[in-house]
Amino acid sequence: MTGTDNTINAKTNADGNSAKPSGNSCGSGGSHGYSAGCKVICRYAGCEYKGSYITERDGKAVVKLPSGYNIGVEYSALTPTDEAANAAPAPKKIEQNESLPKLSIISTGGTIASKIDYRTGAVTSQFEADDILRAIPDLKNIAQFSAHVPATILSENMTVDIWKTLARTIYDEIKAGTKGIIVTHGTDTLAYSAAAISFMVKTPVPIIFVGSQRSADRPSSDNVMNGMCSAAAALSDLGEVAVVMHGTTDDDYCSIHRGTRVRKMHTSRRDAFRSMNIKPLGKVDYPSLDVKLEGDAVRRGTNEVELFDSMEENVGLVYFYPGMRPEIISAFNGYKGLIIAGTGLGHTSSLCIDAIRHLIETGTTVVMTSQCLNGRVCDRVYDTGRDLLDAGIIEGEDLLPEVAFVKLMWVLGNEKDPEKIKELMKTDLRGETGRCLKNV
Amino acid sequence: MSEQNAKDATANGTKKADPKNIRVPEQDYEKIGLMAGIEIHQQLDTKEKLFCHCPTRLRDVSEKTGEIKRYLRATESEMGEIDRAAEEEMKKQNRIYTYYEFDSTCLVENDEEPPAPMNPEAFELSLIIAKMMGMTPVQQVHVMRKLVIDGSNTSGFQRTSLVALNGRIPCIEGGAGIDSLCLEEDAAQRVEGDIFSLDRLGIPLVEITTAPDLKTPQEVKEAAKYIGMLLRSTGRVKRGLGTIRQDVNISIKGGARVEIKGVQDLALIDEVVRREILRQQNLIAIRDELIKRGAKVLKEVYDVTELFRDTESSILKRAKCILAIRLQGFNGLVGREIQPGRRLGSEISDYAKKCGVGGLFHTDELPAYGVTADEVAKLRGFTGAMPEDCVILVADTKKKAQCAIGQIIKRSELSFEGVLEETRKMLEGGSTAYMRPLPGAARMYPETDVLPVNLPTEYWDNLVIPELLTAKEERFVKELGLDPALANNIAFSVRCGLFEKAVKNGIKPALAARTIYATLREIKRDGADVAKISDDAILQLLTAVEKGEAAKEAVPDILKAVAGGADVRKAMEEISPSVSTEELSGVIAKIVTERSDFVKAQGMRALGPLMGVVMQEMRGKVDGKVISNILKEEIQKVLN
């Protein structure tokens, strides 16, 4: 879910040699005959320590000593024992209060609730309502939860197929009468997914995307506050797709961001998610969980539930840079759509314009957005912009490049007429663009 | 004394000796089976912190640039358990911690950025220290997270790694084992209450743990002293108040292992041990007595708020809710002293305070503090207490009082176990108070954001061990002819390195030692800010004196000027301008001629008094020896 994911992932041995958790005694499998958690005698530094074998790291055996410290030693320092590994304590069943309103938790595999199996270094793949309720025990006091796990991935591995499954799962839950949806998601691509679901599901109830920036296994994790606030938002009067994450570095409130207007603006801070070009839709105070919605937030029940799960996957997103060779643009030949994150008001170099023109002539829809992120694209101010317009690009208004990317996939998946495509791209469908930019 | 916080208590009865000043008598430690070990935490003087690139500089609270506010909660260990010490801290949940930021702290301290790789400078230094103690380094060092949720770490854990195992130091007869050396990050400094400042968080610390080989309080002190000396021998550890902290681990036969944290004053460490022995002995005796009496903790809780409606006790009067329990057969034992200033009641009170109450009252100490004999009688009657029973009262809001009474019952029941495995904190004077249960291995789990560090054999082999300060001291006496006391002082001084450099540069050892140790102390006493005098300035001055460019006698004045911000060269010119031999001879000749009658009458005996006159005239500009030689010649001239 955060940068730590990669580290965790890297911990599983690339050679597939990783020790499997088991209640077995040592000498019965795993690396060098040692399986995770098994009891060993470790002879080191002239002493004998009774330890537990953990895993293998760079050819060394990692052993947990009685003090709780792990050390890496040669395998020759270890002797297996007959003593069985401590079985992990059975998780307690969580009682849910059936008189509380129903919420749905849909997980795509973030670390907001899942645990790391330190004996293997792997993120546990099992997930049910109990897991998130164990991680955030206070949740069970405000709602009863049903859980769905359409995927268990690190968010950088998100795909259009998973978006489709996610959209269908959400649609089914709303149809079944849930009061609100919470989607737990890794933060890396959380904003892309929130935008995708914004277009794919028209919703009468809140669909809240939430994640955690600091992993759930640390006492300071933001998962508890984000989780509680997302549940409060899911029960609120909101009626659209939103992202609920820390509003500041303090544990004081979460901001509610529109799913089509939000961006991860920091690699690691709790308050990485920011509303772009508009103010947040509201906030959830912590620990009171009071929800405040702004006037322009779409209210519960405004829309009927509808599913649009067609997406055109042949769409690209390219970041223009000084000196970019036109071949980079030409590489998207055959794509149905391309989003360019241009400079300033929405520019590429003049050198790239012919390649863009060729792309458009051969049937690719090209939409210009800006690397500035804040503000509107305008290709009518400078010559280069006019040349780009002449080549056939569509001005992406105040769309964020990632949102334009997702929107173009969705528009192309649902509409074939070039004129209508252009019109749809410039029309506000889910609050992703506005006729007037406010001074925020 | 009531088991209330001192500020809440009203003084009562006769004055006893201040428990702070009591010295507990020695015992036969072999007979009582004393086992003791120490943990030394020493800050390293590295350029950067252990897991970020911020400086290791302590700041004043007034320099803070911002505040952040956070909650913490206990998480399960990798083995699926919640550590008992962490769970204890969780009782104080719903507490928001405040952290002060500075322009010298960053997002890593704020727990807003993953840690940088382990600081190689700190890692090397920890290995050098390990090598000095004959330890075996760990081949692959793994950084762990040690759960600490008292607020002192923004992340809720302290990063720590086991670097070396099994060494030995010759601090006592037969030596003492060193079990482990860990490299860890220091915690945030508590400003007050739940407010912490982030400047100290992340400063590298070595934690050295001895084996339980120490058999007397004196040996504990010797071991602490030796390790402190060894650490300072590196010349790369922080010095001064709070840069080294000692924890003491103690148990006696029939007792339990108790860890006492935060013994900052080495002079008190043996007293802490003696008092803990006493505490354990008394808790065992109380347990035996309770069993003999057939005592019992009755779990019925009495709401006695109404009983104290018209009380004169300010604490009880203020309280919204007063709860009581009856301890059957405990009479006299709750109030029995177990170490100076501490009773069983204090131990029970420490548990209750976890709920946020100020403390408790028990009938062993009543009537007192505004509670009358009549009220005590009513209380005993209401709870059905017999004369052999003790009643404990706690007063606060209903929620806090209920929490506290539960804790009181829990700790009272634990009295039947005698000594408990605990982490305790030292109080003024050397007695201790309960902090939390001893943490177990469940509080440790891997720091997944830091890669393990492999230690190549050649790297270890090539580490050079510094000379011990005690060896330096001996060498200074033997090779440099220093007086043993001065040798000791200079070897243990922070400017020992400067001394050695000066001697290497050809400065006479006695001059260098005297200036660097004695002179600096003297002018400091006179109010000079000696910290402002750089090593280079001192070296420059000593070199000038050695060359005869400045007079020895002028050194204190020159250093004072330098401390005040003057340049060394300029200070020397002003205070001790070089005087030519001709000029000096002229002055001396004049003085002698003017006093020729005196000289004729006194002969060579005039040398002493005239020395004084000339010295005063020259005001330290010239070395006394030079003056003395010329003066002798001039006197001789007059006499001839």
Side-chain angles (χ1 to χ4, degrees):
Chain A
M1 181 153 263
T2 65
T4 57
D5 282 358
N6 298 325
T7 329
I8 292 157
N9 208 23
K11 278 191 73 179
T12 23
N13 294 336
D15 55 9
N17 212 7
S18 95
K20 288 188 188 69
S22 76
N24 292 341
S25 57
C26 278
S28 57
S31 194
H32 289 71
Y34 295 95
S35 54
C38 79
K39 303 287 180 193
V40 292
I41 301 288
C42 173
R43 288 189 183 81
Y44 195 71
C47 294
E48 231 176 59
Y49 301 95
K50 266 184 99 172
S52 302
Y53 177 81
I54 301 289
T55 190
E56 179 170 311
R57 200 67 193 263
D58 302 338
K60 297 263 191 321
V62 181
V63 176
K64 179 173 282 294
L65 300 182
S67 59
Y69 280 98
N70 291 359
I71 61 170
V73 294
E74 301 291 348
Y75 273 95
S76 56
L78 302 189
T79 312
T81 70
D82 290 338
E83 205 181 324
N86 292 345
K92 281 183 212 135
K93 186 81 192 152
I94 309 266
E95 294 289 324
Q96 294 221 44
N97 183 346
E98 286 175 18
S99 66
L100 292 172
K102 281 183 183 160
L103 289 180
S104 309
I105 295 182
I106 301 175
S107 174
T108 59
T111 59
I112 188 165
S114 64
K115 275 193 317 227
I116 299 158
D117 186 336
Y118 290 101
R119 296 180 295 183
T120 61
V123 179
T124 48
S125 55
Q126 295 303 311
F127 179 87
E128 47 185 312
D130 278 9
D131 290 316
I132 194 157
L133 295 179
R134 254 192 296 279
I136 311 172
D138 285 340
L139 278 178
K140 64 177 183 294
N141 302 326
I142 57 172
Q144 53 167 321
F145 294 88
S146 64
H148 299 269
V149 191
T152 307
I153 52 153
L154 297 172
S155 86
E156 56 271 31
N157 297 327
M158 182 52 72
T159 64
V160 176
D161 272 345
I162 299 176
W163 282 341
K164 288 180 182 173
T165 315
L166 183 58
R168 285 173 207 140
T169 312
I170 291 170
Y171 175 77
D172 290 344
E173 285 293 294
I174 298 172
K175 275 286 195 190
T178 189
K179 191 137 193 269
I181 305 269
I182 298 169
V183 181
T184 68
H185 199 293
T187 56
D188 274 16
T189 61
L190 187 145
Y192 286 83
S193 295
I197 297 303
S198 298
F199 292 106
M200 294 167 85
V201 183
K202 244 190 168 172
T203 179
V205 303
I207 300 176
I208 307 298
F209 279 75
V210 65
S212 70
Q213 281 283 84
R214 315 301 298 146
S215 56
D217 56 4
R218 57 176 67 213
S220 61
S221 173
D222 50 340
N223 73 332
V224 170
M225 178 173 134
N226 291 352
M228 292 301 290
C229 291
S230 67
L235 290 168
S236 76
D237 197 32
L238 190 72
E240 59 177 310
V241 178
V243 171
V244 171
M245 293 283 287
H246 261 68
T248 71
T249 190
D250 297 330
D251 289 343
D252 52 357
Y253 70 88
C254 279
S255 290
I256 306 173
H257 306 280
R258 177 164 284 157
T260 52
R261 290 286 205 175
V262 64
R263 204 167 189 282
K264 185 176 183 179
M265 296 298 284
H266 198 278
T267 57
S268 58
R269 277 177 67 128
R270 287 165 174 74
D271 56 354
F273 284 82
R274 297 292 166 99
S275 282
M276 308 298 290
N277 283 316
I278 62 166
K279 281 184 186 161
L281 299 177
K283 62 192 271 202
V284 186
D285 280 328
Y286 188 82
S288 73
L289 302 182
D290 289 335
V291 181
K292 286 187 202 89
L293 294 178
E294 295 295 328
D296 49 359
V298 179
R299 295 307 206 264
R300 183 181 284 275
T302 305
N303 293 306
E304 294 286 320
V305 63
E306 268 186 90
L307 175 69
F308 308 89
D309 59 354
S310 299
M311 296 286 272
E312 171 54 61
E313 291 192 40
N314 258 331
V315 175
L317 168 59
V318 67
Y319 201 95
F320 172 76
Y321 49 87
M324 181 192 257
R325 296 172 62 86
E327 289 87 336
I328 303 287
I329 301 289
S330 305
F332 289 92
N333 267 331
Y335 272 59
K336 296 283 183 232
L338 176 66
I339 303 297
I340 299 174
T343 53
L345 285 164
H347 299 133
T348 64
S349 63
S350 304
L351 191 67
C352 287
I353 295 178
D354 279 344
I356 292 169
R357 188 191 315 277
H358 182 257
L359 218 56
I360 294 167
E361 280 168 3
T362 52
T364 307
T365 303
V366 179
V367 178
M368 181 62 72
T369 60
S370 173
Q371 296 169 10
C372 297
L373 308 175
N374 288 295
R376 193 184 300 276
V377 165
C378 182
D379 281 309
R380 287 146 286 148
V381 177
Y382 297 101
D383 281 349
T384 312
R386 291 178 199 147
D387 292 345
L388 281 162
L389 280 176
D390 185 55
I393 58 120
I394 299 169
E395 289 170 304
E397 303 295 331
D398 54 345
L399 290 173
L400 290 168
E402 305 86 8
V403 174
F405 165 74
V406 170
K407 184 178 181 182
L408 187 55
M409 277 185 165
W410 184 82
V411 167
L412 292 174
N414 289 282
E415 182 57 62
K416 301 293 169 223
D417 176 16
E419 273 313 302
K420 284 192 178 152
I421 289 169
K422 182 171 179 180
E423 195 191 320
L424 280 171
M425 282 309 291
K426 294 174 84 77
T427 308
D428 176 27
L429 302 174
R430 302 286 192 267
E432 75 278 15
T433 175
R435 303 290 288 173
C436 298
L437 273 181
K438 305 288 183 212
N439 181 14
V440 292
Chain B
M1 260 297 278
S2 129
E3 308 301 349
Q4 297 280 346
N5 282 339
K7 64 176 158 48
D8 293 339
T10 348
N12 166 53
T14 51
K15 260 197 173 170
K16 279 196 217 160
D18 188 341
K20 285 203 292 284
N21 304 327
I22 292 172
R23 286 288 167 269
V24 169
E26 302 285 349
Q27 301 196 44
D28 181 345
Y29 300 109
E30 201 180 332
K31 202 170 134 202
I32 60 176
L34 173 66
M35 300 235 302
I38 46 170
E39 264 177 40
I40 306 268
H41 300 89
Q42 168 74 61
Q43 286 180 353
L44 305 183
D45 194 17
T46 51
K47 195 164 160 277
E48 295 178 349
K49 288 185 174 176
L50 192 53
F51 291 107
C52 74
H53 305 294
C54 287
T56 59
R57 187 154 63 96
L58 293 183
R59 305 298 299 272
D60 191 85
V61 179
S62 65
E63 299 170 306
K64 71 175 165 130
T65 53
E67 290 182 9
I68 53 175
K69 288 181 187 291
R70 299 274 173 72
Y71 295 95
L72 293 174
R73 82 216 142 83
T75 46
E76 289 177 355
S77 81
E78 62 197 295
M79 298 307 186
E81 303 155 60
I82 287 191
D83 180 60
R84 58 181 177 175
E87 208 170 7
E88 180 79 20
E89 292 298 333
M90 276 289 275
K91 290 206 183 84
K92 301 184 263 181
Q93 56 188 291
N94 294 330
R95 278 170 47 167
I96 192 152
Y97 297 110
T98 301
Y99 300 97
Y100 289 167
E101 299 175 89
F102 297 89
D103 56 11
S104 56
T105 63
C106 73
L107 289 184
V108 174
E109 285 99 328
N110 289 6
D111 188 47
E112 286 280 43
E113 186 178 309
M118 188 148 76
N119 178 349
E121 185 191 1
F123 185 53
E124 184 201 70
L125 183 50
S126 72
L127 287 168
I128 289 173
I129 294 166
K131 202 169 176 179
M132 290 168 81
M133 298 188 292
M135 303 183 78
T136 304
V138 168
Q139 292 170 337
Q140 189 182 62
V141 174
H142 288 252
V143 179
M144 308 295 290
R145 296 171 172 177
K146 190 194 280 179
L147 217 57
V148 182
I149 57 166
D150 63 359
S152 62
N153 289 73
T154 44
S155 56
F157 51 75
Q158 177 189 29
R159 295 187 185 93
T160 176
S161 52
L162 179 58
V163 168
L165 290 158
N166 193 20
R168 200 152 190 89
I169 51 168
C171 58
I172 53 167
E173 213 187 306
I178 301 291
D179 277 348
S180 64
L181 182 142
C182 297
L183 178 58
E184 51 191 39
E185 50 180 5
D186 205 346
Q189 171 93 50
R190 194 185 292 272
V191 178
E192 59 168 324
D194 290 331
I195 304 173
F196 295 85
S197 83
L198 293 177
D199 50 340
R200 201 181 73 183
L201 178 63
I203 293 181
L205 278 184
V206 286
E207 183 203 72
I208 296 165
T209 308
T210 72
D213 289 349
L214 312 172
K215 301 285 190 258
T216 66
Q218 198 50 40
E219 287 191 357
V220 171
K221 194 178 204 166
E222 289 303 321
K225 254 168 84 176
Y226 183 88
I227 295 171
M229 179 278 296
L230 181 140
L231 288 165
R232 275 179 287 160
S233 300
T234 62
R236 292 164 69 187
V237 299
K238 298 247 185 221
R239 309 271 295 249
L241 198 71
T243 57
I244 185 162
R245 302 191 289 276
Q246 285 104 5
D247 296 350
V248 190
N249 284 301
I250 306 162
S251 70
I252 61 169
K253 219 181 291 163
R257 189 164 82 84
V258 164
E259 180 181 301
I260 297 164
K261 292 201 99 66
V263 186
Q264 294 220 8
D265 187 357
L266 200 59
L268 263 181
I269 204 164
D270 49 336
E271 179 65 13
V272 170
V273 178
R274 284 191 293 268
R275 288 189 183 199
E276 178 56 22
I277 293 167
L278 196 62
R279 196 185 68 92
Q280 298 205 3
Q281 289 172 324
N282 282 321
L283 286 176
I284 294 168
I286 288 174
R287 175 198 61 195
D288 294 346
E289 177 70 19
L290 285 172
I291 293 169
K292 207 173 89 190
R293 292 187 191 176
K296 207 171 157 191
V297 177
L298 301 176
K299 284 187 186 152
E300 187 171 355
V301 177
Y302 302 89
D303 188 328
V304 294
T305 321
E306 282 303 304
L307 226 55
F308 291 94
R309 177 169 288 273
D310 300 315
T311 184
E312 291 300 305
S313 157
S314 54
I315 295 165
L316 295 183
K317 206 150 67 188
R318 263 204 318 266
K320 292 198 179 70
C321 176
I322 308 171
L323 299 177
I325 56 151
R326 178 154 66 94
L327 305 177
Q328 191 179 301
F330 273 66
N331 187 46
L333 296 180
V334 178
R336 185 187 282 183
E337 187 168 80
I338 52 174
Q339 63 177 189
R342 299 275 307 176
R343 291 149 306 278
L344 176 59
S346 326
E347 300 287 314
I348 300 172
S349 175
D350 289 342
Y351 265 61
K353 283 175 185 166
K354 295 279 170 192
C355 300
V357 301
L360 53 79
F361 287 113
H362 53 79
T363 49
D364 284 359
E365 58 176 356
L366 299 176
Y369 317 110
V371 179
T372 63
D374 184 42
E375 283 168 331
V376 175
K378 272 197 214 160
L379 175 68
R380 283 189 168 274
F382 189 83
T383 56
M386 302 312 238
E388 63 270 24
D389 299 347
C390 175
V391 179
I392 296 187
L393 282 184
V394 65
D396 211 297
T397 62
K398 193 170 179 187
K399 202 176 160 191
K400 282 187 187 174
Q402 277 172 344
C403 169
I405 208 87
Q407 288 284 93
I408 290 167
I409 292 171
K410 186 176 166 191
R411 181 61 185 88
S412 301
E413 284 179 331
L414 288 169
S415 312
F416 292 90
E417 292 185 17
V419 187
L420 307 173
E421 285 200 341
E422 286 172 344
T423 303
R424 303 181 63 84
K425 64 175 174 223
M426 196 190 104
L427 305 171
E428 213 182 334
S431 289
T432 59
Y434 168 78
M435 278 174 86
R436 52 178 179 259
L438 268 191
R443 70 166 167 172
M444 296 278 241
Y445 62 112
E447 168 54 278
T448 45
D449 297 345
V450 180
L451 296 174
V453 184
N454 286 301
L455 180 71
T457 318
E458 321 82 77
Y459 181 88
W460 170 259
D461 290 345
N462 290 334
L463 287 175
V464 179
I465 291 180
E467 185 182 23
L468 286 181
L469 296 183
T470 44
K472 270 195 209 302
E473 181 185 337
E474 264 177 52
R475 183 164 57 81
F476 291 168
V477 174
K478 268 193 206 148
E479 292 178 13
L480 304 180
L482 286 191
D483 163 72
L486 187 57
N488 173 277
N489 287 334
I490 198 74
F492 283 79
S493 131
V494 274
R495 303 228 198 212
C496 179
L498 169 65
F499 168 76
E500 294 198 87
K501 194 170 169 190
V503 171
K504 209 171 147 200
N505 285 8
I507 316 285
K508 283 188 199 76
L511 170 67
R514 199 167 354 97
T515 307
I516 293 167
Y517 180 72
T519 309
L520 283 184
R521 267 170 68 110
E522 282 155 22
I523 65 167
K524 189 179 173 186
R525 212 176 298 138
D526 292 348
D529 185 359
V530 294
K532 290 226 172 83
I533 309 174
S534 72
D535 283 2
D536 283 347
I538 297 174
L539 200 58
Q540 203 182 340
L541 174 59
L542 288 175
T543 309
V545 172
E546 200 61 57
K547 282 190 191 155
E549 290 166 14
K552 263 203 313 275
E553 289 75 7
V555 166
D557 285 335
I558 295 171
L559 287 175
K560 273 185 200 170
V562 173
D567 175 74
V568 196
R569 220 4 95 186
K570 274 197 186 131
M572 282 196 292
E573 271 164 27
E574 265 164 40
I575 296 162
S576 177
S578 36
V579 180
S580 69
T581 317
E582 271 169 39
E583 203 181 324
L584 179 63
S585 301
V587 171
I588 293 176
K590 189 165 167 259
I591 286 169
V592 172
T593 314
E594 279 168 9
R595 291 164 180 75
S596 56
D597 290 348
F598 175 70
V599 172
K600 278 172 190 157
Q602 296 292 322
M604 280 315 280
R605 280 193 307 273
L607 182 64
L610 288 185
M611 228 2 236
V613 178
V614 181
M615 290 291 275
Q616 197 165 1
E617 186 81 8
M618 301 313 297
R619 272 180 315 217
K621 289 172 202 168
V622 188
D623 195 286
K625 223 176 204 167
V626 180
I627 296 178
S628 159
N629 287 339
I630 298 175
L631 191 57
K632 265 185 215 159
E633 281 171 26
E634 290 299 325
I635 292 173
Q636 213 71 58
K637 274 185 203 163
V638 173
L639 291 179
N640 291 344

